[in-house]
Amino acid sequence: MRVVVKTVGTVLTAILLGYPLWAPEWGLGILGEIGALGMPGGLIAVAAFFGLVALYCRALHRTMTLLPPEARTGAPASVWWMFAIPYNFTEDFFIVRTVSTSMTASVTADARVTGGFVRWWAALGYGWCAFQILSLFPGTAGYVGGAIALPLWAAHWIMTGRVNRRLAARQPAAPLTESL
């Protein structure tokens, strides 16, 4: 079922990204927005955005590596699928789910992260994912989607930093001593 959802989601995302080709009367889409910035403005905007995505992925990767291996429901490196356009628009939901279920599995064994925190973290994550897809729509819907997605993404990133600090603050194991 996951493969079907990911495939259908990717195809629908590609259709949305391509609307300037099949419905030019709707506008130029994201490429038009980037083009409106001119050169080098558009290039700088794209590079800055992908730089931020890389930092965000690094934070999620760190979250997964800080969780006990037995709690992980996916590989830490799987968060880097956020760079696989247009697949990433659907995959982002699965990334949020993988990290949140991994944190939930860790909650039972580790009191540093509460179940309420994980639920709020997941809700923000699914929210930015959904509004990110809405941002692909033409016109006002797309602008509103983007305007909502970005602050949700920032809030989610801030929460990811908080959970990383909590997870990294684990007490070191008692030193082993040799008995004579």
Side-chain angles (χ1 to χ4, degrees):
M1 183 64 169
R2 287 173 61 121
V3 173
V4 171
V5 170
K6 289 180 181 187
T7 302
V8 170
T10 301
V11 168
L12 293 174
T13 300
I15 290 169
L16 272 175
L17 285 169
Y19 77 76
L21 300 173
W22 53 266
E25 66 275 9
W26 291 355
L28 298 175
I30 188 66
L31 294 178
E33 298 295 327
I34 294 167
L37 297 173
M39 272 306 259
L43 183 62
I44 291 169
V46 170
F49 178 74
F50 282 122
L52 290 172
V53 173
L55 292 173
Y56 177 69
C57 286
R58 187 177 74 172
L60 291 176
H61 189 255
R62 178 152 169 76
T63 303
M64 291 294 284
T65 59
L66 288 170
L67 294 170
E70 62 275 3
R72 296 179 197 153
T73 59
S78 67
V79 302
W80 294 94
W81 280 106
M82 284 190 186
F83 280 98
I85 299 169
Y87 175 73
N88 70 310
F89 287 90
T90 303
E91 182 62 18
D92 289 347
F93 288 96
F94 289 93
I95 292 169
V96 169
R97 184 174 194 282
T98 297
V99 177
S100 68
T101 56
S102 297
M103 283 194 286
T104 299
S106 180
V107 165
T108 58
D110 189 344
R112 288 174 289 166
V113 181
T114 65
F117 182 92
V118 174
R119 285 188 295 278
W120 183 239
W121 184 92
L124 274 175
Y126 292 133
W128 78 254
C129 290
F131 284 104
Q132 169 188 243
I133 289 177
L134 183 62
S135 76
L136 299 176
F137 282 77
T140 304
Y143 288 118
V144 169
I148 295 171
L150 288 173
L152 288 178
W153 182 44
H156 192 257
W157 195 352
I158 290 167
M159 287 187 76
T160 301
R162 286 183 184 157
V163 77
N164 286 350
R165 284 189 296 280
R166 288 181 192 171
L167 291 170
R170 70 175 61 139
Q171 298 295 323
L176 296 175
T177 58
E178 294 179 328
S179 49
L180 300 172

